Every structure is written in C-alpha cells, then in structure tokens.
Amino acid sequence: MSKDNKFKIILLGSSSSSTNILYNSLKSDFKIQKVIIEEKESKFLFFKRRLRKMGYLKLLDQLLFIFTVSKFLSYFSKKRYSEILKINNLSNLPIYSFNTVLVKSINELSTIDLINSLNPDIILLSGTRILSSNLLNSINCQILNIHAGITPYYRGVHGAYWAYLNKQSNLAGVTLHRVDKGIDTGQILGQKIIQVQSNDNFSTYPLLQLNSGIELLKKYLSKSGRLDLVKSNNKSHLWYHPGFFQYIYYRCFHGVK
C-alpha cells in the first residue's frame, strides 16, 4: 500500500508499548506526520482524582489489585504476550523518529498550536489524558481512538474483562470511534469482538483488543471496505479497574481471568 494521497496523520500518545505497536503497525502504509508523546501524569494527581470519585476503601482495593495481581498476571503472561505479537505481526519496538516531540501535556496551549500548525486530517490517540474542551474546540480535524471495549456498554477501562465477568462474551471487543467531550461516547466507526485462548487473561485481553482495533483503523484509513458495526442501545456504563478481592472472588468461583 502506498502512502500517496493518504490522510496526514498525527499520533498523540503516551510513552507505552501500545503506542509503539500502533505506530509500527501504521508507519509503512500511512503518512504519520508527527508523533507527539505526552509525559505520564503524576500518580499522586491520578489517585487523588480517583479518591474523590470512589472513596478510600474502593481506591485501596483497586491499588492492591494494581500492585499485586495485575503485575503477577503481566509477568506470567509474557510468553502469551509475545505469541500474540508474533502471530499478528505486531512490533513493540520503541519509536525512533525525528518527527517525535515530547510534551508535558497534550492539553497545553503550545501543543494545540503545534497541532494546528501541522494542519492534520486525522489525529490518533493512544493512552493520553482526557482531551480538554479547549483542545477539542481548537482542532479542526477528526480525532480517532481505539477503545478497549464495546461502547456504549463498556466505556472506561478493561472492557473485555468486565464483559466476561458479566457473561457477555458477545460484547468483549474493541471500538473505533471519533472523540467527543464525553468519555468513550463519540460516534462509533467500527467494532469487533475478540477471540481469546485458554491462556489469555486480564493482562493479554488489551493486546488482543489493540490488534483488532488496528485492523478496524487500517480499513477506515484506507477506505478499503465496510466496517462491521455492532448494534447497540442506550445502555451505557463507565468501568474502572477491578478490586483485589473482587478479582480473586470471580477468578476462584467463576473462572473469570
């Protein structure tokens, strides 16, 4: 596939394996005009915001999960993770490009000015902070996101895990959508259900979702075919990380990994 006559694309991402995979999957076929990498948000500010939303007990339960179970699963899923990369021809090698810019926040005025100076056709998001109203109102192009969940049912994080926990494997998937002022509420461009193996779990679901999301994105950017849309209704829920005791209970008694 040639890069000629393709969209001018900016990738706004965090410094992460997911951003590397997205960039490496697109760079050969599409014109990535600039990669803007955002510094990680202060953990103190992140947890302070969560504390206001859910209180001490729920936050402590989530933190216990994040720093124990989540790390345990990631460590013991390395082989499966590498297998998914290889099978789907994905690369998580670091982005080495003279077109890469580091910024403190994508919502800074200087970042907005940089984006407007480049006049892109499409902005792709990958693990950034929530976009401010000022940025959304200042940018005159499509902003797309690969969301790890089937919206509107599974907004927020870890959509596949929650779908399996709720016995809705038909909603364990990924959504390609336009970004608006809500959280994962933008216009749906395509959705796809993931297929998991017996050795997949909470740690590997997101990689399977990213791979399926990249497939949807490539179809959309190349306009090579109709995207498979999933019918939805008005049911909508915003999901967060599971708690330690919640995960252990459903793993032991319901087999949800």
Side-chain angles (χ1 to χ4, degrees), residues 23 57 159 207 214 257:
Y23 173 80
L57 290 179
L207 182 57
I214 289 172
K257 297 190 290 182

Side-chain angles (χ1 to χ4, degrees), residues 12-253:
L12 296 184
S14 59
S15 180
S16 65
S17 178
S18 296
T19 299
N20 295 339
I21 290 169
L22 180 57
Y23 173 80
N24 290 324
S25 298
L26 298 177
K27 66 178 182 180
S28 297
D29 297 328
F30 302 97
K31 183 178 180 180
I32 308 295
Q33 191 177 19
K34 185 76 70 175
V35 179
I36 301 176
I37 299 296
E38 179 184 53
E39 288 183 9
K40 289 185 177 180
E41 183 183 22
S42 161
K43 289 184 178 179
F44 173 78
L45 293 176
F46 174 79
F47 291 131
K48 184 178 179 181
R49 189 167 61 249
R50 283 288 177 90
L51 179 61
R52 288 198 301 267
K53 288 183 178 179
M54 58 188 60
Y56 284 101
L57 290 179
K58 284 189 177 180
L59 178 60
L60 287 174
D61 196 25
Q62 282 191 0
L63 291 177
L64 186 58
F65 171 83
I66 291 170
F67 291 112
T68 57
V69 175
S70 182
K71 290 187 179 298
F72 175 88
L73 290 173
S74 294
Y75 180 80
F76 285 100
S77 298
K78 288 181 179 179
K79 182 177 179 181
R80 173 56 178 160
Y81 192 93
S82 297
E83 182 182 67
I84 295 171
L85 291 176
K86 184 177 180 180
I87 291 173
N88 296 287
N89 195 29
L90 301 174
S91 170
N92 61 356
L93 291 175
I95 300 173
Y96 292 112
S97 171
F98 64 90
N99 282 330
T100 300
V101 176
L102 300 178
V103 298
K104 186 174 181 180
S105 169
I106 56 172
N107 293 315
E108 288 184 329
L109 182 59
S110 58
T111 306
I112 296 173
D113 289 341
L114 172 61
I115 293 171
N116 281 325
S117 71
L118 295 168
N119 192 30
D121 300 307
I122 289 177
I123 293 173
L124 302 179
L125 298 186
S126 176
T128 65
R129 294 175 176 84
I130 294 174
L131 304 188
S132 68
S133 295
N134 185 39
L135 185 150
L136 291 170
N137 293 332
S138 302
I139 303 300
N140 186 28
C141 69
Q142 293 188 80
I143 304 177
L144 306 182
N145 181 52
I146 295 173
H147 169 64
I150 295 294
T151 62
Y153 306 92
Y154 291 99
R155 296 163 44 233
V157 294
H158 305 298
Y161 170 77
W162 292 116
Y164 288 126
L165 187 147
N166 292 325
K167 300 184 180 188
Q168 293 181 310
S169 58
N170 61 312
L171 294 176
V174 63
T175 299
L176 175 66
H177 68 95
R178 290 194 173 100
V179 175
D180 61 14
K181 294 181 180 180
I183 299 177
D184 306 322
T185 57
Q187 181 185 21
I188 297 170
L189 300 174
Q191 295 181 315
K192 189 170 183 178
I193 306 305
I194 60 171
Q195 302 298 317
V196 301
Q197 305 296 326
S198 59
N199 54 345
D200 284 311
N201 57 48
F202 179 91
S203 179
T204 60
Y205 298 152
L207 182 57
L208 294 171
Q209 289 170 293
L210 177 60
N211 178 63
S212 294
I214 289 172
E215 292 175 0
L216 290 172
L217 179 61
K218 284 184 174 182
K219 286 183 180 180
Y220 181 77
L221 294 177
S222 63
K223 297 187 176 181
S224 61
R226 179 179 177 275
L227 299 181
D228 296 326
L229 300 178
V230 177
K231 292 182 180 179
S232 63
N233 57 25
N234 293 325
K235 292 182 180 179
S236 177
H237 192 80
L238 187 62
W239 300 85
Y240 298 95
H241 287 83
F244 175 86
F245 296 103
Q246 180 184 41
Y247 180 87
I248 296 300
Y249 173 82
Y250 282 101
R251 177 67 185 267
C252 293
F253 296 103

